[in-house]
Amino acid sequence: PTAIVLADENLLLPMIYSLDESIKDFNITMGLSLRNSLLYTLIECIFDLQQNVMEIRTKEGKKIKIPKFGHKSISKILNHPFIRHYEYVVLRDQQEGDSIIQKVIYEIAVNNQVYLSSQELLTIGENHPLFKILFTYWPKNNPKQVIHTFYELIDVLREVYKDYKNAIETEYLYLFYTLLKQFEQTLELQGKNLSLKSLRSFLMELIRKTSIPFSGEPISTLQILGMLETRALDFERVILISANEGILPQAKRQNSLIPYDASISVGLPTHQHQEAVMSYHFYRLLQRA
């Protein structure tokens, strides 16, 4: 069998798309991170929209937030690939000519509107359900409202992707839904109202650690693996991709609060141990190939 080994696991999707069409049978033994999906960038855009609202400073020097969204944040969301795909599949069938999304972008540009309130956006957007979901202002310290918004967004986007032959995007939506459910249960157990900033950091951390698991056929002639998955396996042919400086071996990063010298003195593992592990896997992989 042939092994394609990805030193940088972020290259999984480009690698799959660049495989020849004649290759039908291959096995992937790594997950596809939710962090690298378009859904992740849409969630970030929505949080940015809600956090970067209009601010004024009083005579006393205090900052007061006014629930009006900036035009850049609005345009960023309306031009996002997920929303554009919704426009192409759903809105184009319902409306002739320009869709409601294009009309809103045009209105904002023509009237030079810098900040718009939720009500103004809903009026321009003709109270369309998508605009209600995306541009309803989140009250302060209300995690339930945030999670409810994302549930509604998943429902809307699911309608688009269930008939679309893109299994990965549908899987991302399902994965995000299960992640939200777990997060909601955790919040209920804690019984605390989180600020928007804290909620965002917790949710994004969960997303970064979540990946789509692939299930394939372990005896396929072509195996796609990460470096750590190659341990104790032999291949006739090995193709090692992206063995660049700082990736293989990894850059000398110390992912610990304990200083290097202190780790050495008490016998804790350092980046040298990590390099030794990767070195072993590398030479072990090439041994019989």
Side-chain angles (χ1 to χ4, degrees), residues 46-47 50 69 133 136-140 145-146 149-150 196:
I46 292 169
F47 271 115
Q50 295 286 345
F69 306 124
I133 294 165
T136 299
Y137 182 70
W138 294 341
K140 193 178 179 183
Q145 169 82 36
V146 179
T149 300
F150 285 129
L196 187 59

Side-chain angles (χ1 to χ4, degrees), residues 70-119:
H71 70 101
K72 284 184 179 177
S73 300
I74 295 165
S75 299
K76 203 173 177 183
I77 288 176
L78 293 179
N79 286 313
H80 189 277
F82 257 55
I83 305 301
R84 295 307 293 267
H85 188 68
Y86 176 85
E87 175 194 17
Y88 180 75
V89 173
V90 179
L91 300 180
R92 288 280 160 85
D93 295 341
Q94 295 174 354
Q95 300 158 349
E96 291 180 7
D98 287 342
S99 72
I100 195 72
I101 289 174
Q102 293 306 316
K103 285 175 186 171
V104 170
I105 293 170
Y106 179 75
E107 280 276 330
I108 292 169
V110 166
N111 297 324
N112 287 330
Q113 290 171 290
V114 180
Y115 286 99
L116 295 98
S117 67
S118 290
Q119 197 50 54

Side-chain angles (χ1 to χ4, degrees), residues 1-4 19 23 25-28 220-224 239:
T2 301
I4 297 178
L19 284 175
I23 300 169
D25 183 30
F26 58 89
N27 181 45
I28 301 170
S220 298
T221 51
L222 179 63
Q223 300 284 329
I224 300 170
I239 301 165

